[in-house]
């Protein structure tokens, strides 16, 4: 995870050898200039895509509002009310593309994809000639168990999502009435 308040691109540019050995990167990115000279999300994505990475996820999105109002989709009590807010920053998750992997990184890349829940990407990596060769060298066949593992992972994610959505019902229901307490 790279979160260095706007100097992410400078660090990536200054560490090409380290970048070559990475199979997954999570970094903070801005969609609006928060600091002077700061590269924005699309600058970071273009740089990493040119080096064999693909954007796989956008997480932990933060929105900016000019006035203190309740977080979307809630409504605040009092004068503040509601505003959706402009997307300001988030974390971007990049994974190495299969054709940009070496024999030294192919299994690590598949493991990173599996750990993050991108089972289709892991399958794509492991089904390459290099992936199949490395599994043979190691005496493992991850592909034989991928369906079982992905279903178990998916069920855990589903239950996690059910719990999160149940917790979010209280402020949503309050928003339909007088509103959630106003932000200070």
């Amino acid at each position: 995870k790279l979160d260095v308040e706007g100097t992410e691109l400078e660090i990536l540019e200054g560490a090409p050898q380290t970048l070559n050995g990475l199979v997954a990167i999570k970094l903070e990115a801005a969609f609006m200039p928060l600091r002077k000279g700061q590269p924005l999300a699309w600058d970071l994505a273009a740089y990493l895509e040119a080096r064999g990475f693909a954007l796989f996820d956008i997480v932990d999105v933060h929105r900016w509002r000019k006035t203190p109002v309740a977080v979307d989709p809630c409504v605040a009590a009092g004068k503040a009310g509601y505003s959706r807010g402009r997307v300001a920053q988030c974390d971007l998750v990049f994974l190495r593309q299969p054709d940009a992997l070496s024999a030294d990184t192919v299994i690590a890349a598949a493991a990173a994809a599996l750990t993050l829940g991108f089972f289709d990407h892991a399958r794509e990596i492991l089904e390459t000639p290099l992936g199949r060769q490395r599994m043979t060298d190691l005496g493992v066949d991850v592909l034989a168990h991928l369906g079982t593992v992905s279903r178990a992972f998916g069920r855990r994610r589903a239950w996690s999502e059910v719990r999160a959505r149940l917790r979010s019902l209280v402020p949503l229901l309050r928003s339909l009435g007088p509103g959630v307490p106003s932000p200070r």
Side-chain angles (χ1 to χ4, degrees), residues 59-99:
V59 295
D60 201 21
V61 176
H62 295 275
R63 295 182 178 275
W64 182 78
R65 297 159 187 84
K66 289 187 178 192
T67 57
V69 296
V71 175
D72 180 63
C74 294
V75 176
K79 294 181 182 180
Y82 171 87
S83 178
R84 186 156 179 199
R86 174 182 173 181
V87 66
Q89 69 183 38
C90 68
D91 285 345
L92 301 176
V93 177
F94 293 87
L95 296 178
R96 179 81 64 185
Q97 292 283 47
D99 61 353

mmCIF file of all heavy atoms in Angstrom, residues 59-99:
data_model
loop_
_atom_site.group_PDB
_atom_site.id
_atom_site.type_symbol
_atom_site.label_atom_id
_atom_site.label_comp_id
_atom_site.label_asym_id
_atom_site.label_seq_id
_atom_site.Cartn_x
_atom_site.Cartn_y
_atom_site.Cartn_z
ATOM 1 N N VAL A 59 -11.432 1.280 -4.233
ATOM 2 C CA VAL A 59 -11.978 1.065 -2.892
ATOM 3 C C VAL A 59 -11.793 2.306 -2.020
ATOM 4 O O VAL A 59 -11.001 3.185 -2.333
ATOM 5 C CB VAL A 59 -11.333 -0.170 -2.207
ATOM 6 C CG1 VAL A 59 -11.674 -1.441 -2.946
ATOM 7 C CG2 VAL A 59 -9.819 -0.010 -2.111
ATOM 8 N N ASP A 60 -12.511 2.320 -0.929
ATOM 9 C CA ASP A 60 -12.401 3.373 0.082
ATOM 10 C C ASP A 60 -12.545 4.763 -0.552
ATOM 11 O O ASP A 60 -11.699 5.634 -0.373
ATOM 12 C CB ASP A 60 -11.070 3.230 0.839
ATOM 13 C CG ASP A 60 -11.102 3.930 2.181
ATOM 14 O OD1 ASP A 60 -12.203 4.177 2.708
ATOM 15 O OD2 ASP A 60 -10.016 4.259 2.705
ATOM 16 N N VAL A 61 -13.637 4.953 -1.289
ATOM 17 C CA VAL A 61 -13.884 6.222 -1.978
ATOM 18 C C VAL A 61 -14.300 7.289 -0.963
ATOM 19 O O VAL A 61 -15.151 7.051 -0.119
ATOM 20 C CB VAL A 61 -14.980 6.051 -3.055
ATOM 21 C CG1 VAL A 61 -15.310 7.374 -3.715
ATOM 22 C CG2 VAL A 61 -14.540 5.026 -4.086
ATOM 23 N N HIS A 62 -13.676 8.455 -1.078
ATOM 24 C CA HIS A 62 -14.016 9.602 -0.232
ATOM 25 C C HIS A 62 -14.541 10.719 -1.118
ATOM 26 O O HIS A 62 -13.976 10.993 -2.172
ATOM 27 C CB HIS A 62 -12.793 10.089 0.553
ATOM 28 C CG HIS A 62 -12.293 9.089 1.530
ATOM 29 N ND1 HIS A 62 -12.812 8.970 2.795
ATOM 30 C CD2 HIS A 62 -11.350 8.134 1.422
ATOM 31 C CE1 HIS A 62 -12.187 7.984 3.422
ATOM 32 N NE2 HIS A 62 -11.304 7.459 2.610
ATOM 33 N N ARG A 63 -15.600 11.354 -0.645
ATOM 34 C CA ARG A 63 -16.217 12.446 -1.401
ATOM 35 C C ARG A 63 -16.021 13.767 -0.671
ATOM 36 O O ARG A 63 -15.911 13.804 0.548
ATOM 37 C CB ARG A 63 -17.705 12.171 -1.614
ATOM 38 C CG ARG A 63 -17.915 10.952 -2.480
ATOM 39 C CD ARG A 63 -19.389 10.690 -2.734
ATOM 40 N NE ARG A 63 -19.564 9.548 -3.596
ATOM 41 C CZ ARG A 63 -19.529 9.602 -4.924
ATOM 42 N NH1 ARG A 63 -19.339 10.748 -5.531
ATOM 43 N NH2 ARG A 63 -19.675 8.513 -5.633
ATOM 44 N N TRP A 64 -15.967 14.838 -1.444
ATOM 45 C CA TRP A 64 -15.745 16.168 -0.905
ATOM 46 C C TRP A 64 -17.015 16.993 -1.083
ATOM 47 O O TRP A 64 -17.628 16.989 -2.139
ATOM 48 C CB TRP A 64 -14.575 16.807 -1.645
ATOM 49 C CG TRP A 64 -14.215 18.158 -1.147
ATOM 50 C CD1 TRP A 64 -13.500 18.461 -0.030
ATOM 51 C CD2 TRP A 64 -14.549 19.405 -1.761
ATOM 52 N NE1 TRP A 64 -13.370 19.815 0.096
ATOM 53 C CE2 TRP A 64 -14.011 20.426 -0.969
ATOM 54 C CE3 TRP A 64 -15.260 19.750 -2.900
ATOM 55 C CZ2 TRP A 64 -14.150 21.756 -1.265
ATOM 56 C CZ3 TRP A 64 -15.402 21.089 -3.206
ATOM 57 C CH2 TRP A 64 -14.840 22.082 -2.395
ATOM 58 N N ARG A 65 -17.385 17.685 -0.017
ATOM 59 C CA ARG A 65 -18.539 18.575 -0.044
ATOM 60 C C ARG A 65 -18.106 19.939 0.461
ATOM 61 O O ARG A 65 -17.260 20.029 1.346
ATOM 62 C CB ARG A 65 -19.660 18.020 0.847
ATOM 63 C CG ARG A 65 -20.191 16.689 0.371
ATOM 64 C CD ARG A 65 -20.901 15.967 1.525
ATOM 65 N NE ARG A 65 -21.280 14.629 1.149
ATOM 66 C CZ ARG A 65 -20.462 13.576 1.206
ATOM 67 N NH1 ARG A 65 -19.220 13.721 1.621
ATOM 68 N NH2 ARG A 65 -20.882 12.388 0.846
ATOM 69 N N LYS A 66 -18.711 20.987 -0.061
ATOM 70 C CA LYS A 66 -18.364 22.348 0.369
ATOM 71 C C LYS A 66 -18.930 22.683 1.742
ATOM 72 O O LYS A 66 -18.412 23.539 2.431
ATOM 73 C CB LYS A 66 -18.853 23.369 -0.659
ATOM 74 C CG LYS A 66 -18.052 23.324 -1.932
ATOM 75 C CD LYS A 66 -18.434 24.451 -2.856
ATOM 76 C CE LYS A 66 -17.551 24.378 -4.084
ATOM 77 N NZ LYS A 66 -17.628 25.551 -4.910
ATOM 78 N N THR A 67 -20.015 22.006 2.098
ATOM 79 C CA THR A 67 -20.625 22.252 3.401
ATOM 80 C C THR A 67 -20.718 20.928 4.152
ATOM 81 O O THR A 67 -20.800 19.869 3.534
ATOM 82 C CB THR A 67 -22.039 22.845 3.247
ATOM 83 O OG1 THR A 67 -22.833 21.955 2.466
ATOM 84 C CG2 THR A 67 -21.999 24.211 2.586
ATOM 85 N N PRO A 68 -20.718 20.963 5.464
ATOM 86 C CA PRO A 68 -20.824 19.715 6.230
ATOM 87 C C PRO A 68 -22.253 19.168 6.166
ATOM 88 O O PRO A 68 -23.168 19.745 6.737
ATOM 89 C CB PRO A 68 -20.441 20.133 7.643
ATOM 90 C CG PRO A 68 -20.739 21.595 7.711
ATOM 91 C CD PRO A 68 -20.563 22.140 6.319
ATOM 92 N N VAL A 69 -22.415 18.094 5.426
ATOM 93 C CA VAL A 69 -23.714 17.438 5.309
ATOM 94 C C VAL A 69 -23.536 15.956 5.580
ATOM 95 O O VAL A 69 -22.426 15.445 5.611
ATOM 96 C CB VAL A 69 -24.351 17.663 3.907
ATOM 97 C CG1 VAL A 69 -24.646 19.127 3.679
ATOM 98 C CG2 VAL A 69 -23.456 17.133 2.811
ATOM 99 N N ALA A 70 -24.640 15.270 5.710
ATOM 100 C CA ALA A 70 -24.597 13.828 5.969
ATOM 101 C C ALA A 70 -23.999 13.100 4.762
ATOM 102 O O ALA A 70 -24.103 13.562 3.628
ATOM 103 C CB ALA A 70 -25.999 13.311 6.253
ATOM 104 N N VAL A 71 -23.394 11.985 5.031
ATOM 105 C CA VAL A 71 -22.777 11.178 3.983
ATOM 106 C C VAL A 71 -23.862 10.480 3.169
ATOM 107 O O VAL A 71 -24.798 9.908 3.729
ATOM 108 C CB VAL A 71 -21.809 10.148 4.610
ATOM 109 C CG1 VAL A 71 -21.241 9.227 3.554
ATOM 110 C CG2 VAL A 71 -20.691 10.870 5.350
ATOM 111 N N ASP A 72 -23.762 10.561 1.852
ATOM 112 C CA ASP A 72 -24.700 9.925 0.929
ATOM 113 C C ASP A 72 -24.845 8.454 1.271
ATOM 114 O O ASP A 72 -23.858 7.800 1.550
ATOM 115 C CB ASP A 72 -24.173 10.083 -0.502
ATOM 116 C CG ASP A 72 -25.069 9.449 -1.542
ATOM 117 O OD1 ASP A 72 -26.213 9.893 -1.661
ATOM 118 O OD2 ASP A 72 -24.604 8.516 -2.224
ATOM 119 N N PRO A 73 -26.023 7.908 1.345
ATOM 120 C CA PRO A 73 -27.320 8.426 0.917
ATOM 121 C C PRO A 73 -28.162 8.982 2.062
ATOM 122 O O PRO A 73 -29.373 9.089 1.933
ATOM 123 C CB PRO A 73 -27.978 7.188 0.311
ATOM 124 C CG PRO A 73 -27.510 6.075 1.184
ATOM 125 C CD PRO A 73 -26.098 6.450 1.562
ATOM 126 N N CYS A 74 -27.536 9.340 3.156
ATOM 127 C CA CYS A 74 -28.296 9.814 4.310
ATOM 128 C C CYS A 74 -28.635 11.297 4.189
ATOM 129 O O CYS A 74 -28.005 12.045 3.466
ATOM 130 C CB CYS A 74 -27.505 9.571 5.597
ATOM 131 S SG CYS A 74 -27.296 7.816 5.935
ATOM 132 N N VAL A 75 -29.652 11.710 4.966
ATOM 133 C CA VAL A 75 -30.100 13.093 5.027
ATOM 134 C C VAL A 75 -29.878 13.578 6.453
ATOM 135 O O VAL A 75 -30.207 12.870 7.406
ATOM 136 C CB VAL A 75 -31.596 13.207 4.658
ATOM 137 C CG1 VAL A 75 -32.088 14.629 4.810
ATOM 138 C CG2 VAL A 75 -31.824 12.699 3.250
ATOM 139 N N ALA A 76 -29.316 14.776 6.584
ATOM 140 C CA ALA A 76 -29.055 15.322 7.917
ATOM 141 C C ALA A 76 -30.228 16.139 8.407
ATOM 142 O O ALA A 76 -30.941 16.762 7.618
ATOM 143 C CB ALA A 76 -27.801 16.195 7.879
ATOM 144 N N ALA A 77 -30.412 16.138 9.713
ATOM 145 C CA ALA A 77 -31.411 17.009 10.322
ATOM 146 C C ALA A 77 -30.864 18.439 10.264
ATOM 147 O O ALA A 77 -29.659 18.652 10.154
ATOM 148 C CB ALA A 77 -31.641 16.576 11.765
ATOM 149 N N GLY A 78 -31.725 19.405 10.290
ATOM 150 C CA GLY A 78 -31.285 20.798 10.296
ATOM 151 C C GLY A 78 -31.092 21.344 8.888
ATOM 152 O O GLY A 78 -31.591 20.794 7.910
ATOM 153 N N LYS A 79 -30.348 22.440 8.780
ATOM 154 C CA LYS A 79 -30.196 23.159 7.513
ATOM 155 C C LYS A 79 -29.318 22.448 6.489
ATOM 156 O O LYS A 79 -29.473 22.643 5.299
ATOM 157 C CB LYS A 79 -29.619 24.558 7.770
ATOM 158 C CG LYS A 79 -30.527 25.461 8.538
ATOM 159 C CD LYS A 79 -29.889 26.819 8.723
ATOM 160 C CE LYS A 79 -30.787 27.721 9.540
ATOM 161 N NZ LYS A 79 -30.181 29.029 9.716
ATOM 162 N N ALA A 80 -28.360 21.663 6.957
ATOM 163 C CA ALA A 80 -27.370 21.077 6.037
ATOM 164 C C ALA A 80 -28.014 20.186 4.984
ATOM 165 O O ALA A 80 -27.700 20.287 3.805
ATOM 166 C CB ALA A 80 -26.322 20.290 6.812
ATOM 167 N N GLY A 81 -28.911 19.311 5.384
ATOM 168 C CA GLY A 81 -29.631 18.478 4.434
ATOM 169 C C GLY A 81 -28.803 17.419 3.752
ATOM 170 O O GLY A 81 -28.236 16.561 4.399
ATOM 171 N N TYR A 82 -28.715 17.531 2.432
ATOM 172 C CA TYR A 82 -28.121 16.446 1.634
ATOM 173 C C TYR A 82 -27.281 17.012 0.495
ATOM 174 O O TYR A 82 -27.636 18.012 -0.125
ATOM 175 C CB TYR A 82 -29.243 15.584 1.050
ATOM 176 C CG TYR A 82 -28.760 14.570 0.046
ATOM 177 C CD1 TYR A 82 -28.317 13.320 0.454
ATOM 178 C CD2 TYR A 82 -28.708 14.866 -1.310
ATOM 179 C CE1 TYR A 82 -27.846 12.386 -0.457
ATOM 180 C CE2 TYR A 82 -28.245 13.936 -2.237
ATOM 181 C CZ TYR A 82 -27.820 12.709 -1.803
ATOM 182 O OH TYR A 82 -27.353 11.791 -2.700
ATOM 183 N N SER A 83 -26.188 16.364 0.212
ATOM 184 C CA SER A 83 -25.408 16.591 -1.001
ATOM 185 C C SER A 83 -24.590 15.339 -1.249
ATOM 186 O O SER A 83 -23.962 14.815 -0.331
ATOM 187 C CB SER A 83 -24.472 17.791 -0.874
ATOM 188 O OG SER A 83 -23.714 17.922 -2.070
ATOM 189 N N ARG A 84 -24.618 14.880 -2.456
ATOM 190 C CA ARG A 84 -23.908 13.638 -2.779
ATOM 191 C C ARG A 84 -22.403 13.792 -2.613
ATOM 192 O O ARG A 84 -21.727 12.914 -2.137
ATOM 193 C CB ARG A 84 -24.249 13.216 -4.198
ATOM 194 C CG ARG A 84 -23.676 11.889 -4.522
ATOM 195 C CD ARG A 84 -24.406 11.213 -5.598
ATOM 196 N NE ARG A 84 -23.714 9.951 -5.801
ATOM 197 C CZ ARG A 84 -23.812 9.232 -6.855
ATOM 198 N NH1 ARG A 84 -24.597 9.598 -7.819
ATOM 199 N NH2 ARG A 84 -23.154 8.108 -6.967
ATOM 200 N N GLY A 85 -21.852 14.883 -3.034
ATOM 201 C CA GLY A 85 -20.416 15.119 -2.905
ATOM 202 C C GLY A 85 -19.630 14.644 -4.107
ATOM 203 O O GLY A 85 -19.988 13.665 -4.760
ATOM 204 N N ARG A 86 -18.581 15.360 -4.393
ATOM 205 C CA ARG A 86 -17.703 15.052 -5.532
ATOM 206 C C ARG A 86 -16.662 14.035 -5.095
ATOM 207 O O ARG A 86 -16.077 14.148 -4.020
ATOM 208 C CB ARG A 86 -17.022 16.352 -5.966
ATOM 209 C CG ARG A 86 -15.995 16.184 -7.027
ATOM 210 C CD ARG A 86 -15.348 17.517 -7.346
ATOM 211 N NE ARG A 86 -14.234 17.318 -8.248
ATOM 212 C CZ ARG A 86 -13.466 18.289 -8.691
ATOM 213 N NH1 ARG A 86 -13.688 19.531 -8.310
ATOM 214 N NH2 ARG A 86 -12.472 18.023 -9.504
ATOM 215 N N VAL A 87 -16.403 13.043 -5.941
ATOM 216 C CA VAL A 87 -15.377 12.063 -5.603
ATOM 217 C C VAL A 87 -14.032 12.789 -5.526
ATOM 218 O O VAL A 87 -13.663 13.548 -6.427
ATOM 219 C CB VAL A 87 -15.355 10.877 -6.602
ATOM 220 C CG1 VAL A 87 -14.931 11.287 -7.997
ATOM 221 C CG2 VAL A 87 -14.460 9.771 -6.107
ATOM 222 N N ALA A 88 -13.353 12.621 -4.412
ATOM 223 C CA ALA A 88 -12.098 13.329 -4.177
ATOM 224 C C ALA A 88 -10.898 12.388 -4.226
ATOM 225 O O ALA A 88 -9.903 12.681 -4.889
ATOM 226 C CB ALA A 88 -12.140 14.041 -2.829
ATOM 227 N N GLN A 89 -10.978 11.285 -3.520
ATOM 228 C CA GLN A 89 -9.862 10.345 -3.520
ATOM 229 C C GLN A 89 -10.348 8.950 -3.186
ATOM 230 O O GLN A 89 -11.466 8.750 -2.747
ATOM 231 C CB GLN A 89 -8.765 10.778 -2.558
ATOM 232 C CG GLN A 89 -9.131 10.695 -1.099
ATOM 233 C CD GLN A 89 -8.019 11.211 -0.221
ATOM 234 O OE1 GLN A 89 -7.336 12.169 -0.536
ATOM 235 N NE2 GLN A 89 -7.841 10.566 0.916
ATOM 236 N N CYS A 90 -9.463 7.983 -3.411
ATOM 237 C CA CYS A 90 -9.787 6.588 -3.159
ATOM 238 C C CYS A 90 -8.488 5.801 -3.124
ATOM 239 O O CYS A 90 -7.411 6.357 -3.282
ATOM 240 C CB CYS A 90 -10.679 6.048 -4.270
ATOM 241 S SG CYS A 90 -9.796 5.934 -5.839
ATOM 242 N N ASP A 91 -8.609 4.518 -2.939
ATOM 243 C CA ASP A 91 -7.479 3.608 -3.112
ATOM 244 C C ASP A 91 -7.712 2.838 -4.401
ATOM 245 O O ASP A 91 -8.835 2.407 -4.682
ATOM 246 C CB ASP A 91 -7.369 2.621 -1.946
ATOM 247 C CG ASP A 91 -6.827 3.267 -0.685
ATOM 248 O OD1 ASP A 91 -6.267 4.380 -0.766
ATOM 249 O OD2 ASP A 91 -6.968 2.660 0.390
ATOM 250 N N LEU A 92 -6.668 2.685 -5.193
ATOM 251 C CA LEU A 92 -6.711 1.914 -6.433
ATOM 252 C C LEU A 92 -5.920 0.634 -6.238
ATOM 253 O O LEU A 92 -4.833 0.658 -5.653
ATOM 254 C CB LEU A 92 -6.111 2.714 -7.592
ATOM 255 C CG LEU A 92 -6.757 4.058 -7.917
ATOM 256 C CD1 LEU A 92 -5.985 4.758 -9.032
ATOM 257 C CD2 LEU A 92 -8.209 3.878 -8.296
ATOM 258 N N VAL A 93 -6.463 -0.475 -6.719
ATOM 259 C CA VAL A 93 -5.790 -1.772 -6.625
ATOM 260 C C VAL A 93 -5.411 -2.210 -8.037
ATOM 261 O O VAL A 93 -6.266 -2.319 -8.909
ATOM 262 C CB VAL A 93 -6.697 -2.831 -5.967
ATOM 263 C CG1 VAL A 93 -6.010 -4.189 -5.940
ATOM 264 C CG2 VAL A 93 -7.098 -2.388 -4.559
ATOM 265 N N PHE A 94 -4.122 -2.432 -8.239
ATOM 266 C CA PHE A 94 -3.590 -2.881 -9.521
ATOM 267 C C PHE A 94 -2.990 -4.271 -9.360
ATOM 268 O O PHE A 94 -2.348 -4.559 -8.356
ATOM 269 C CB PHE A 94 -2.472 -1.945 -9.999
ATOM 270 C CG PHE A 94 -2.933 -0.569 -10.356
ATOM 271 C CD1 PHE A 94 -3.029 0.421 -9.390
ATOM 272 C CD2 PHE A 94 -3.266 -0.254 -11.670
ATOM 273 C CE1 PHE A 94 -3.454 1.698 -9.721
ATOM 274 C CE2 PHE A 94 -3.698 1.017 -12.007
ATOM 275 C CZ PHE A 94 -3.786 1.993 -11.032
ATOM 276 N N LEU A 95 -3.193 -5.114 -10.369
ATOM 277 C CA LEU A 95 -2.561 -6.429 -10.406
ATOM 278 C C LEU A 95 -1.761 -6.545 -11.696
ATOM 279 O O LEU A 95 -2.135 -5.987 -12.728
ATOM 280 C CB LEU A 95 -3.614 -7.545 -10.350
ATOM 281 C CG LEU A 95 -4.447 -7.622 -9.076
ATOM 282 C CD1 LEU A 95 -5.476 -8.728 -9.184
ATOM 283 C CD2 LEU A 95 -3.576 -7.821 -7.852
ATOM 284 N N ARG A 96 -0.687 -7.301 -11.607
ATOM 285 C CA ARG A 96 0.184 -7.515 -12.770
ATOM 286 C C ARG A 96 -0.560 -8.351 -13.807
ATOM 287 O O ARG A 96 -1.226 -9.328 -13.473
ATOM 288 C CB ARG A 96 1.466 -8.214 -12.310
ATOM 289 C CG ARG A 96 2.460 -8.541 -13.353
ATOM 290 C CD ARG A 96 3.348 -7.447 -13.788
ATOM 291 N NE ARG A 96 4.245 -6.921 -12.778
ATOM 292 C CZ ARG A 96 5.028 -5.870 -13.040
ATOM 293 N NH1 ARG A 96 5.013 -5.303 -14.219
ATOM 294 N NH2 ARG A 96 5.818 -5.406 -12.111
ATOM 295 N N GLN A 97 -0.447 -7.957 -15.072
ATOM 296 C CA GLN A 97 -1.042 -8.691 -16.181
ATOM 297 C C GLN A 97 -0.278 -9.996 -16.420
ATOM 298 O O GLN A 97 0.944 -10.035 -16.232
ATOM 299 C CB GLN A 97 -1.017 -7.856 -17.468
ATOM 300 C CG GLN A 97 -1.928 -6.653 -17.406
ATOM 301 C CD GLN A 97 -3.384 -7.037 -17.588
ATOM 302 O OE1 GLN A 97 -3.882 -7.974 -16.982
ATOM 303 N NE2 GLN A 97 -4.072 -6.301 -18.432
ATOM 304 N N PRO A 98 -0.956 -11.063 -16.839
ATOM 305 C CA PRO A 98 -0.280 -12.354 -17.052
ATOM 306 C C PRO A 98 0.907 -12.284 -18.014
ATOM 307 O O PRO A 98 1.922 -12.924 -17.771
ATOM 308 C CB PRO A 98 -1.384 -13.247 -17.620
ATOM 309 C CG PRO A 98 -2.634 -12.657 -17.096
ATOM 310 C CD PRO A 98 -2.401 -11.175 -17.047
ATOM 311 N N ASP A 99 0.809 -11.487 -19.063
ATOM 312 C CA ASP A 99 1.908 -11.419 -20.029
ATOM 313 C C ASP A 99 3.097 -10.604 -19.533
ATOM 314 O O ASP A 99 4.138 -10.546 -20.182
ATOM 315 C CB ASP A 99 1.419 -10.886 -21.377
ATOM 316 C CG ASP A 99 0.847 -9.478 -21.294
ATOM 317 O OD1 ASP A 99 0.697 -8.932 -20.178
ATOM 318 O OD2 ASP A 99 0.535 -8.909 -22.366
#
